[in-house]
Each structure stands twice: as C-alpha cells, then as structure tokens.
Amino acid sequence: MLFQTVYDMVGHTPLVRLRLDVPEGTEVYAKLELANPFGMKDRVAKSAIEEARRIGALLPGAPIVESSSGTMALGAVLVGRSLGHPVHIVTDPRIDPMTLAKLRSLGAEVHIVPKMTDQGWQGARLERLYELMRELPGAFWPRQYTNPDNPRAYRNLADELLRDLGTVDVLVGAVGSGGSLCGSTRALRRHLPQLRAVGVDCVGSALFDQPDVPKRLQSGLGNSLFPHNLDRSVIDEVHWLNDREAFVAARDLAADQQIFAGNTSGSVYRVLSDVARRAEPGSRVVGIFPDRGDRYTETVYSDEYWAEKHVADLPLASRPTTVTYGTPVTQWSRSEVRRPADLPRRLLFIESNTTGTGMIALSTARELGFTPVLLTGGPERYAGLTETGAEVLVCDTNSLSELRSVIQQRYPRQELAGVTTTSDFYVPAVAELADWLSLPGNPATAVAACRNKATMRGVLRDAGLPQPRYAVLTGAADIAEAVRAVGLPCVVKPADDSGSNNVLLCATAEEAAAHARDILAVETNVRGLPTARTVLLEEYLDGPEYSVEVFSHDGVATCVGVTAKQVTAGPHFVETGHLFPAPLSEAAAGEIAGVVAGALKAIGWELGPTHTEVKVTEGGGVAIVEINPRLAGGMIPEAVRRATGTDLLEQQLRAATGSPLDLAPRHTASAGIRFLLPESRGTLRAVDGTDTALAVAGVTGVTVTAAPGAPVRPAENAYDRLGHVIATGPDTPAVTASLDAALNALRVDITPPELTART
C-alpha cells in the first residue's frame, strides 16, 4: 500500500489468522496494532491532535505537551511534528533507552524529571507538565486517560475489522486507559449488537475492583487509578494475569506465531486462546495486539531480569480460574464484569429553552432515574432551575472546546447516559458532543442541514422534494436578482435563527432588499452564537400551515401526529395557536406525513424528535417550509400529551439515552393552545381574568409568561407572546370553543409609551 507520508500510515494495520487448537470452524485473528509506525497509540495521538486542531483547541504551530514514557509519547511526536507542532515529552528516569533515542531523533524536547514527589513518578511528571502548560502559551495536552478522542480513535479499527471480516463474535483487548477496547467495542456494536467484549488486565491493577499493587512489572495495561475513558459497562468479561503469566505468554506468542511482541500482546494472546477454546463452534474471535517486543528485550525476554525480579517464583496457571467479581486474585483468573450499582447515570443538558419545558425536562430526567446536569453560561436565565434539583455547571457553552474540556475532566465515561438540549441553538453542539462521546445522537451533518435552512433547501432540492422557490444570499450585491427569481411577495428570513425571529413578508423589492441587509448585518444571535449571516428569500405560499411531529429510531421515522397551526397574517409570522390532532382526513394527514418522512431521509436524520412545518397549497400540494431538529416548541408537546397521553419530552430523553421509546397513544382526544398577544406597544401593567379563563369548561391551563413592567409590542416573533391557554375536549370544535371563551375572558392592561415616559 502506497502512502505519501509516514503520518498517513497510522491505522491500516494487518489482520492475521492465528494457528490455534480451537473447535472446528472457529476462526481466531490477531489485529496487529503493533504494526503502526510506533504502536497502537499512534491512532490516539492522531485522533486527539486532529480534533484539537479542528475545534480550535490547538492552533497552527502551537506546542503539544504529553506525559508518557511509551507509545503515546512516540505517537504524539509522530503526529505533532508531522503537522508542524513543537512537541514536549515529560518522562522519568525509568524510560527505556530505545524509546528515549526515538523521541529525541524524531525532534521531541524530552523533559526527564529528576526525582519522585509524594505522589511518585507520575506526580513528578504531572508537576513538570503543568509548569510547561504555564510556560508555553496555547499548549495542548492530549490527556489520553480522560479525552474521548482516545476511544473515538478506534472507530477506524472497527471499520477495518468489518471490512476484512464482515462479522466478529468476540473481541479481546487489553485495558489500560480504556480507549482501545471500549472504543472498538462501541463502534462494532453499532453493527454487531451481540458482540462480546473481553478485557485483559494484570494482577495488581485496580481497574476492575482488585487491590492495587503498584510494583507490578507489566507495562502497557492495568492502572492504579480509574481512567475516565474506561467504561466497564461495555465489557462483558475480564481476565487477570500475573507478571510471570504475561511474560511467558509473550514468549509463547513469539515461538508459536512468530510475532515478537510486548507483555500486553502476550496477555491478549493467552486470553484469546482460552476464549476461542470456549467459544461456540464457528465463532470468529479477534484480539487486539498493541505493543512490539523491542522495548522489552531487557525485561520480558531477559533471563537475567527474571532472576533479578524473581519472576519465576510467581504461580503459573495453564487455564484461568473462574471467580466471583471482586474476589482478589494472584494468578490467571476470569470473571463476568459487574457494573457498580451505585454509579450515577448522568444526562447532560446543553442549555435549555426559556418557555418552561426545559425545566420540566430536567425534572423528568430525574423521574426516569437519571442525574440531570445543566451546562450553561447563564443559570440566571432559567426560572425554576433550583427546584429541578439538577446539577449546574457554569461554562462557556458557546465554545465546543470548553464544553469538551469541562465534560472530559469532570465525568468518567461510564457515568454518562446521554446528552441533549431543549434549545434550538445548541442542537449542533449536542450532535458534536454525542458523536465525540459515542452516545446516542444524530450525524452532525444532518443537524447542520436542519439548523441552516439554506443547506436544508439544497438537500431537499437534490432529493426532488416539494418546497417553495428560494434564493440564498450571503451578500447584498445579488438581492435584486434573487427577488426576480423568487417573485413577490416573498418571505425574507435568516437561515439559522429561531422563534420566527426576523421573518418578514415583503411586498416590494425595496422592502426585501432592506430587510435582507438588516439580517446580513446581524453577527450574533440572542444566545451570543455567531450567525451564518445568510439570508433566504422564499416564495410566499398562501395556504394552511401544519407541523408534523416525528420521532425517529435507527433512521425509521414514526409520525406521532399532525398539528394545525394558526399564524398571524403578516408581515410577521407569529404562531397564535395550535390544534392537535389537526382536523384532517386520514388520507390528507398520511400524505403530509409521507412527504416529511422523505425529507428526513434525505437529510439523514436518525434518532429522536423533529418538528417539520409544511404548507398545503391551493392545488393541494404539500410544500416543506422548514425542518426543526428538535421537539416542537410552542407548548405543542403538552397538547400532544393531553390529547394522546404520550409524553414527547420523556420520549426525547429516552431517545437521548438509548432507552426504548413508547409512542403508543393511551387515549384519544383533542387539545389546543392559544397564545396571548399584545395589541399595542407599551409597558405591561397586568393580565386580568386568569381565574375566569381557567374556569371555562375544557380549559386545563392558563399561564402568563410576561411579567408586569415588561416592555411589549405587537408580536413580531415568538418572544413577544405574553402567555397561553390550553384546553382539551372530545373534538376540535369543543376545544376551539373553550379557547375562544378563555381568551375573551383575559384582559391585557398596557401602559402606552407616552404615559410610561411621563412617569
């Protein structure tokens, strides 16, 4: 295979069938990660450094700092120097001469700490590393034990196995940082859900609830601390080998299979042999072999070292002893892995909406048995947050780099159940984080296509799906031509805002041009995120508007129902009410749902809720207005709950955590929402008549969201609404009558601007 650089060689490692005495039809393979330029950690270094460059955590030419005495150090130097970064490696006097020579030859600046601290050599190395981070502005530390880009690196390994073998029944891998086995297993289980994962550890390692013995001789696996990247919930079985058993296994691997490897590969070989002997006939078993033997010539392969360390005095088992998980072991043993019962299952929320359902979602998460965690840049934004009992982390949620940093440093991966949001603006960040953490989620490309309506238009066009004529503008020069192409009147709107903000029906070319220029001038949205600075000009479609509430799982869309929407006539489009289910024939509702299902397939939507708005034109055609990559807003989920008994907010959280969905209706009724809108500009004094409105038959809720003293205006977007009324009934006419009566009972008292100015 031809490569243009050594850096390009990372991955693409050979898969070798092993000659073993196993049941007939059983196939056993070694994935030789040791054949990477410097070892398996080349993959980790490449993944972590490339991602850091992509998200801006590592700027071009900035230094890379790593604490390692082995293959992670070599991988960091290989990748970092190949991409033009100075690389600093912090190590200690125990580093073997061969690795030290390689690091210096490759161009690394090696810092050898002279003595241990109270926390040992690791503590001394970390002290020096932190000094370097302070001394070197913009320095990046890959953090292999906490950075999810470590397990993420092994998705390519999983793809290589699938390409070469098609299927795998058992995967065997060593456990040190947790990256290789957990990352490979998660990726393979997307295609092979029944895959069995077997971990290989060493006697004296604390990773699987064994007593810690710091003076163990094996390197490359085991740990005295629990790394955040280790997720024991994905590992089914664990084996422990003592130093003698691991060293003997490495020598046997060289003699039996002509693979000269380190003690970690030797341990995997020994466990692989046992697993294959016990496997069902016809099984396909793969082991990941991470380390070469050249670093171990003076230890594993040295009789003098064996004598010095009394290696031969340790017990040597030819078969593993099966033990109950948690039983201390001194020789080769195996056990089924048990997840600690007291581990929290945290559901991360990236910001929230401000309509109230966001706080309900936090409380619902707790009711489902999760620990809700809200990451926010401004907790004061959310009324009722304290009452939810959620853990709150204040950080810059507009920075993907900071979100990653906060999450990886604070939470072990095995404690994370999912990540989600109830805010339109943070759905892209959630998609990025879910992918990074290998949690349930949607492709970032699908989410981006929904959030940027200009991109969405292009996808729907290429798929031949019905939509209005449109033009995309990123500058003012082409406005006149865009208006001519779309026609008048036209709708002018930002490509990536929310809540009908800045959506305007324009009757003239001059009006369209002025509004387009206004949109192009907006650099940040209401949450401080950068805007796309892109304008959509769209054909105005005159006809009833509906929204389709859909949940998807594995790319299969299930329509929960169709909502009839009431919207102001223009020039601003503000939703004034909803009816669920829409008063449509079964055939008409089915046609609308079918068009939406085609659109979601074209976008690439795979999991969770979407809220797609459509219009039915005069000829009866269905045209897609926009696809929202989230649950419906405007209290529509509450209308669905009251009409069917299905809690869509709960289903969103279930989807985000990979839990089974339950979309079946419990009962059949109708529900509706009507919003309270100000009719004039001024200052809100009061909203009277709420008790009378709530007493209307069928009315189940009256909520005022605007506070006295708030400035108000005739509604131009969803943020201008003052409150809402919810009603239920046996059918649409009954619900409509209840809503009309309740709205008529409410009185909005507004102080005009001129009187406000005098006071």
Side-chain angles (χ1 to χ4, degrees):
M1 185 178 292
L2 176 64
F3 297 100
Q4 298 302 316
T5 68
V6 174
Y7 169 73
D8 296 328
M9 289 174 58
V10 175
H12 316 288
T13 53
L15 183 68
V16 178
R17 187 165 182 177
L18 301 180
R19 303 180 302 275
L20 291 172
D21 182 16
V22 294
E24 184 176 354
T26 299
E27 301 173 13
V28 186
Y29 295 89
K31 180 65 170 170
L32 297 183
E33 285 299 285
L34 52 82
N36 276 294
F38 294 107
M40 185 172 71
K41 293 296 178 68
D42 293 352
R43 287 191 192 260
V44 178
K46 184 176 183 181
S47 173
I49 292 169
E50 285 183 345
E51 274 295 286
R53 286 165 59 95
R54 183 182 73 85
I55 68 173
L58 174 63
L59 298 178
I64 297 169
V65 178
E66 182 57 275
S67 170
S68 172
S69 58
T71 53
M72 184 62 192
L74 291 164
V77 177
L78 165 65
V79 177
R81 297 295 295 139
S82 296
L83 296 175
H85 297 275
V87 180
H88 297 257
I89 299 298
V90 182
T91 187
D92 60 61
R94 299 174 301 170
I95 187 170
D96 66 275
M98 182 177 294
T99 300
L100 182 59
K102 288 179 180 179
L103 290 171
R104 286 174 170 163
S105 299
L106 291 168
E109 185 169 341
V110 182
H111 305 259
I112 302 177
V113 296
K115 61 181 181 180
M116 290 189 287
T117 66
D118 293 342
Q119 284 76 43
W121 287 115
Q122 181 76 351
R125 281 160 47 174
L126 288 176
E127 277 190 7
R128 180 60 182 136
L129 185 144
Y130 290 131
E131 288 175 358
L132 288 171
M133 294 291 285
R134 291 191 294 269
E135 295 168 5
L136 301 170
F140 171 69
W141 177 18
R143 296 179 184 267
Q144 65 163 318
Y145 289 99
T146 62
N147 189 346
D149 285 320
N150 175 351
R152 188 174 182 272
Y154 294 97
R155 294 178 188 177
N156 289 337
L157 186 152
D159 290 341
E160 292 165 21
L161 290 178
L162 290 170
R163 183 188 65 230
D164 290 342
L165 296 177
T167 186
V168 178
D169 298 296
V170 186
L171 182 67
V172 180
V175 182
S177 69
S180 58
L181 183 58
C182 295
S184 301
T185 299
R186 284 196 206 99
L188 286 169
R189 281 182 179 156
R190 292 181 178 180
H191 309 277
L192 307 170
Q194 303 306 313
L195 175 77
R196 184 170 176 81
V198 178
V200 181
D201 198 2
C202 58
V203 171
S205 162
L207 292 178
F208 292 89
D209 297 317
Q210 288 287 311
D212 179 40
V213 181
K215 293 185 179 181
R216 57 188 178 272
L217 303 178
Q218 297 177 61
S219 61
L221 78 169
N223 211 312
S224 297
L225 302 175
F226 193 89
H228 281 196
N229 279 328
L230 174 56
D231 182 358
R232 290 180 294 192
S233 69
V234 305
I235 301 173
D236 300 294
E237 178 182 330
V238 62
H239 288 239
W240 299 271
L241 280 75
N242 66 31
D243 293 333
R244 182 185 182 188
E245 291 161 339
F247 287 12
V248 168
R251 292 183 171 198
D252 287 349
L253 174 60
D256 298 345
Q257 307 291 341
Q258 292 72 60
I259 298 173
F260 186 64
N263 61 256
T264 304
S265 295
S267 293
V268 171
Y269 175 59
R270 183 67 78 233
V271 172
L272 188 66
S273 304
D274 172 71
V275 169
R277 279 192 292 268
R278 291 186 288 112
E280 292 289 329
S283 296
R284 187 168 281 166
V285 186
V286 175
I288 302 172
F289 288 50
D291 55 345
R292 290 199 285 267
D294 51 5
R295 293 177 55 215
Y296 302 94
T297 55
E298 297 182 3
T299 54
V300 173
Y301 295 97
S302 167
D303 292 341
E304 292 77 12
Y305 181 83
W306 278 54
E308 176 190 346
K309 300 296 183 181
H310 305 287
V311 174
D313 294 345
L314 294 171
L316 177 66
S318 59
R319 290 284 191 276
T321 300
T322 302
V323 299
T324 302
Y325 188 83
T327 302
V329 300
T330 58
Q331 64 185 52
W332 186 12
S333 306
R334 70 180 178 91
S335 174
E336 294 292 305
V337 176
R338 186 175 66 220
R339 177 187 171 95
D342 58 348
L343 270 182
R345 301 178 66 216
R346 303 184 193 278
L347 177 52
L348 306 181
F349 290 79
I350 312 302
E351 296 289 359
S352 167
N353 63 28
T354 55
T355 61
T357 54
M359 298 303 98
I360 295 173
L362 295 173
S363 299
T364 301
R366 187 173 296 282
E367 292 169 6
L368 290 173
F370 302 108
T371 300
V373 180
L374 178 67
L375 290 89
T376 175
E380 69 282 351
R381 179 182 288 121
Y382 305 117
L385 175 57
T386 302
E387 289 75 12
T388 67
E391 180 181 347
V392 179
L393 285 182
V394 179
C395 62
D396 182 3
T397 51
N398 291 352
S399 166
L400 183 60
S401 177
E402 175 149 347
L403 280 169
R404 285 186 171 203
S405 178
V406 168
I407 292 169
Q408 77 176 56
Q409 292 181 47
R410 192 174 185 96
Y411 299 118
R413 174 59 181 82
Q414 67 179 6
E415 294 183 7
L416 299 180
V419 57
T420 190
T421 185
T422 53
S423 170
D424 222 352
F425 297 110
Y426 293 93
V427 177
V430 165
E432 287 270 4
L433 292 171
D435 176 70
W436 179 59
L437 294 163
S438 295
L439 290 167
N442 281 288
T445 52
V447 171
C450 295
R451 276 295 298 143
N452 189 318
K453 299 173 184 66
T455 306
M456 178 200 72
R457 288 284 174 229
V459 172
L460 298 182
R461 177 201 62 211
D462 294 344
L465 291 162
Q467 60 180 335
R469 293 190 304 273
Y470 72 97
V472 178
L473 295 173
T474 55
D478 300 324
I479 292 177
E481 178 57 34
V483 172
R484 281 193 292 271
V486 171
L488 291 170
C490 65
V491 177
V492 181
K493 62 185 181 182
D496 62 341
D497 215 324
S498 180
S500 302
N501 194 44
N502 265 335
V503 179
L504 188 69
L505 178 63
C506 298
T508 68
E510 293 75 20
E511 189 179 7
H515 191 56
R517 283 191 289 269
D518 288 343
I519 293 172
L520 290 169
V522 177
E523 298 182 359
T524 58
N525 61 32
V526 68
R527 292 298 184 102
L529 289 160
T531 66
R533 301 191 73 182
T534 300
V535 178
L536 268 179
L537 272 72
E538 296 181 346
E539 171 191 9
Y540 173 64
L541 300 177
D542 189 12
E545 184 171 337
Y546 301 92
S547 67
V548 185
E549 323 312 334
V550 170
F551 263 81
S552 298
H553 186 265
D554 288 338
V556 178
T558 299
C559 179
V560 176
V562 179
T563 305
K565 304 171 78 72
Q566 296 165 290
V567 182
T568 55
H572 304 284
F573 299 97
V574 181
E575 294 172 3
T576 63
H578 307 123
L579 291 170
F580 185 92
L584 292 167
S585 68
E586 185 175 339
E591 181 183 357
I592 292 172
V595 170
V596 169
L600 294 176
K601 183 177 181 180
I603 288 290
W605 195 261
E606 294 182 359
L607 180 72
T610 49
H611 168 68
T612 303
E613 296 171 349
V614 304
K615 277 201 168 186
V616 177
T617 59
E618 186 176 349
V622 178
I624 297 169
V625 176
E626 61 186 42
I627 303 170
N628 295 284
R630 54 164 172 80
L631 205 60
M635 301 303 294
I636 290 175
E638 182 62 12
V640 174
R641 187 183 71 83
R642 292 177 183 274
T644 68
T646 302
D647 188 337
L648 296 187
L649 199 56
E650 176 184 325
Q651 301 312 310
Q652 175 183 334
L653 305 188
R654 288 184 175 278
T657 55
S659 306
L661 302 182
D662 182 8
L663 299 171
R666 278 113 176 112
H667 57 256
T668 302
S670 291
I673 297 163
R674 195 76 57 79
F675 292 101
L676 186 62
L677 305 180
E679 296 182 355
S680 61
R681 186 179 294 272
T683 302
L684 180 65
R685 181 181 296 167
V687 175
D688 298 319
T690 54
D691 290 342
T692 304
L694 189 58
V696 172
V699 172
T700 57
V702 177
T703 302
V704 177
T705 55
V712 298
R713 65 179 181 181
E716 296 183 7
N717 58 41
Y719 304 107
D720 292 326
R721 298 186 296 218
L722 305 179
H724 60 264
V725 175
I726 301 178
T728 58
D731 51 37
T732 298
V735 170
T736 301
S738 296
L739 293 172
D740 288 342
L743 262 291
N744 288 334
L746 295 174
R747 296 289 181 268
V748 179
D749 188 356
I750 297 174
T751 302
E754 58 273 16
L755 295 181
T756 302
R758 288 178 201 165
T759 57

